[in-house]
Amino acid sequence: MAEQNCNRFLDFWIKLVSHRRSFFLGFCVLNFVFSLVATLGNLLAIRALMKTSTIPATIKKLFLSLAFSDLAVGLSSQLMTAIISAVMLKMASSEDDFALFFCPTVLIVVLYFQHLLAVASFLSVIIIAFDRLLAVSLHLRYQELVTPRRVTIVLVSLWLTSCVPPFLFIFLPKGTEMIAGVISVIGYVPTTVAYIRLYKVVRYHQNQIYSQNQLQNAQTRKAHRQRRCAYSSIFVSVVFLACYFPFLPCTILYLTNTSEISFLVAHFASMFLIYLNSSLNPFVYCWRHREIRQSVKSTVKQIFHMNENLS
């Protein structure tokens, strides 16, 4: 089963490199570039998140989980995709047999990590949505119900759960794309509803704060931190949906007519957008949190200062 799926996915790549070589070259170069951006950006973001003290411990753990997932994308699946693309371009010019080199081991490993990290990121965004919704809705009860220990248990369960779907995608003989599409829709709907609800609650609380001038400064600062974390999670979700959602219609289009090369091009372009999400998230963290932004700037300055001293 695994080898059948490997050959099927390999056919997609061969068809693209044969008919759209210039696009495939661009796909290869962009994945190399943004794998580096995702790796460096998320390393800086992880260091800054671990040092910051203004972000609550629970949401910090969730953001760190997402950042580690994005880092793994840059170090593994996106980089391996770029390397495979480069090797395919080289082999296409020499007319070597792709299947002997890529199937079943190489491509199956890449597909496994692609699906594992995509599922982990997807579940992380869903959990962040409901965590922030609970934080702004429950107030004092939130700290009793959502503790750092419970968040750790949820995150361990999240990563263990993320290891299961890739096996189904790889070893099921047919229909894996449609299964992925159904799961995506099931995840998109409650996540979108949760973030819309979160935005409304945050706006309501913001108006209350402005209307209650007697509110103490400490309470105001705490409410401000909660609101900022809520907005940060909303922006992370918007970027996530913008990068992940095109994959669903593009895949459906291609499955309706597998002989149409333009649909295959759209499918691969949407795949790159999924990878791009891992490079964009660190910029969202820096944009929404001044302490993270300052920490990243400080780290970059230290690196350049060390290089100047060495030279």
Side-chain angles (χ1 to χ4, degrees), residues 96-159:
D96 291 331
D97 189 356
F98 292 103
L100 291 176
F101 186 81
F102 290 109
C103 283
T105 306
V106 176
L107 205 54
I108 288 299
V109 169
V110 175
L111 289 171
Y112 180 81
F113 279 104
Q114 278 181 348
H115 288 96
L116 185 152
L117 296 172
V119 172
S121 297
F122 195 47
L123 292 177
S124 294
V125 171
I126 293 174
I127 292 171
I128 288 171
F130 285 98
D131 172 81
R132 289 299 87 196
L133 186 57
L134 290 173
V136 298
S137 301
L138 298 179
H139 304 295
L140 296 177
R141 288 189 61 208
Y142 170 80
Q143 294 180 349
E144 298 176 6
L145 294 174
V146 185
T147 62
R149 182 176 178 275
R150 287 176 178 173
V151 170
T152 302
I153 294 172
V154 169
L155 288 176
V156 171
S157 302
L158 180 153
W159 281 96

Side-chain angles (χ1 to χ4, degrees), residues 52-261:
T52 186
S53 58
T54 58
I55 300 177
T58 51
I59 188 64
K60 184 192 291 188
K61 286 189 175 187
L62 295 175
F63 278 145
L64 279 171
S65 173
L66 185 58
F68 275 113
S69 174
D70 291 335
L71 174 63
V73 169
L75 285 173
S76 59
S77 57
Q78 187 170 19
L79 182 59
M80 286 191 290
T81 298
I83 292 171
I84 287 176
S85 302
V87 172
M88 279 192 168
L89 286 167
K90 178 74 168 58
M91 293 178 71
S93 58
S94 59
E95 298 184 355
D96 291 331
D97 189 356
F98 292 103
L100 291 176
F101 186 81
F102 290 109
C103 283
T105 306
V106 176
L107 205 54
I108 288 299
V109 169
V110 175
L111 289 171
Y112 180 81
F113 279 104
Q114 278 181 348
H115 288 96
L116 185 152
L117 296 172
V119 172
S121 297
F122 195 47
L123 292 177
S124 294
V125 171
I126 293 174
I127 292 171
I128 288 171
F130 285 98
D131 172 81
R132 289 299 87 196
L133 186 57
L134 290 173
V136 298
S137 301
L138 298 179
H139 304 295
L140 296 177
R141 288 189 61 208
Y142 170 80
Q143 294 180 349
E144 298 176 6
L145 294 174
V146 185
T147 62
R149 182 176 178 275
R150 287 176 178 173
V151 170
T152 302
I153 294 172
V154 169
L155 288 176
V156 171
S157 302
L158 180 153
W159 281 96
L160 290 176
T161 303
S162 300
C163 295
V164 178
F167 284 109
L168 299 178
F169 294 138
I170 291 170
F171 290 101
L172 284 178
K174 291 182 181 180
T176 54
E177 291 87 357
M178 292 308 299
I179 292 172
V182 172
I183 294 174
S184 299
V185 171
I186 293 172
Y188 288 143
V189 173
T191 306
T192 304
V193 171
Y195 275 111
I196 291 172
R197 173 64 180 163
L198 175 61
Y199 177 77
K200 289 181 178 179
V201 173
V202 170
R203 292 294 296 178
Y204 172 75
H205 284 242
Q206 188 175 6
N207 293 333
Q208 274 194 327
I209 290 171
Y210 288 146
S211 63
Q212 294 176 359
N213 296 325
Q214 73 274 18
L215 202 64
Q216 296 178 1
N217 289 334
Q219 291 176 299
T220 305
R221 285 195 298 270
K222 183 178 178 180
H224 177 70
R225 283 199 300 269
Q226 282 190 345
R227 189 171 70 250
R228 186 171 58 184
C229 289
Y231 276 127
S232 297
S233 64
I234 289 172
F235 281 111
V236 166
S237 173
V238 169
V239 172
F240 178 86
L241 290 174
C243 291
Y244 272 69
F245 185 75
F247 184 77
L248 179 59
C250 289
T251 301
I252 293 173
L253 276 176
Y254 180 67
L255 291 176
T256 57
N257 186 0
T258 55
S259 61
E260 181 59 53
I261 299 299

Side-chain angles (χ1 to χ4, degrees), residues 18-32:
S18 301
H19 294 87
R20 292 290 189 274
R21 189 180 180 86
S22 57
F23 171 82
F24 199 78
L25 177 61
F27 178 79
C28 172
V29 171
L30 286 173
N31 276 305
F32 267 121

